[in-house]
Amino acid sequence: CGLRPRGDGRRRAADTAAAARGGPARDWHDASVPDLGRLLWSLREDPHLDDFVERRLGPLLSHDRARSARLLPTLEALCAHHWHKADAARALGVNRQSLYPRLERLQRLLGADLDDPETRLGLELAVRARAQVGPAG
């Protein structure tokens, strides 16, 4: 008949709160709406999700572990600002022109075309999933 057990709403609210800790800051989290952060949080112990993050971000994470000039914050800023370079640069506290060499290094490291929508989606999912599975590097 479509009614859910009472505990289901509480479970969704608890899952929403837990997932919100690893996701982007928002003013409001609606537990009644399907949410990417909650989905990724529910999959956080699935080895496939960890493998996805490693396959998408592995070369970048290795690079950042070995160098002081980290590139992951640049990718995170790009994802958080919907790939708007000016907004990402502002969030990083750099001018837009200094972002272009970083973009080239990211493309080379990841072996990916950062202008491709499918690539961007995969990287955004990996960045969001990494927050849920726990940073490995």
Side-chain angles (χ1 to χ4, degrees), residues 74 77-104 107 114-115 120:
T74 300
L78 286 163
C79 292
H81 295 280
H82 310 288
W83 298 87
H84 294 233
K85 294 174 185 89
D87 294 339
R90 204 171 6 268
L92 291 165
V94 300
N95 66 46
R96 184 178 167 160
Q97 294 314 111
S98 67
L99 200 60
Y100 291 105
R102 294 179 190 198
L103 288 170
E104 290 172 15
Q107 283 198 145
L114 298 183
D115 291 324
R120 287 179 174 188

Side-chain angles (χ1 to χ4, degrees), residues 4-134:
R4 290 194 170 105
R6 269 193 168 167
D8 194 45
R10 281 185 281 234
R11 182 189 51 77
R12 266 198 322 273
D15 288 351
T16 299
R21 286 191 288 273
R26 288 189 287 180
D27 291 336
W28 180 256
H29 295 273
D30 186 346
S32 68
V33 175
D35 177 75
L36 178 60
R38 209 164 50 244
L39 172 66
L40 292 173
W41 185 83
S42 72
L43 297 172
R44 73 194 177 284
E45 294 178 5
D46 186 318
H48 293 97
L49 187 62
D50 198 32
D51 182 56
F52 176 77
V53 171
E54 178 58 35
R55 290 178 59 203
R56 284 290 182 155
L57 301 178
L60 175 59
L61 298 175
S62 294
H63 168 276
D64 282 6
R65 279 191 293 270
R67 292 172 183 78
S68 60
R70 299 179 63 230
L71 289 172
L72 181 61
T74 300
L75 180 59
E76 290 170 333
L78 286 163
C79 292
H81 295 280
H82 310 288
W83 298 87
H84 294 233
K85 294 174 185 89
D87 294 339
R90 204 171 6 268
L92 291 165
V94 300
N95 66 46
R96 184 178 167 160
Q97 294 314 111
S98 67
L99 200 60
Y100 291 105
R102 294 179 190 198
L103 288 170
E104 290 172 15
R105 286 196 309 271
L106 279 170
Q107 283 198 145
R108 257 192 331 271
L109 273 171
L110 298 171
D113 176 6
L114 298 183
D115 291 324
D116 176 58
E118 187 81 13
T119 297
R120 287 179 174 188
L121 176 61
L123 290 171
E124 288 180 32
L125 282 171
V127 165
R128 296 272 305 266
R130 182 174 180 272
Q132 300 299 338
V133 299

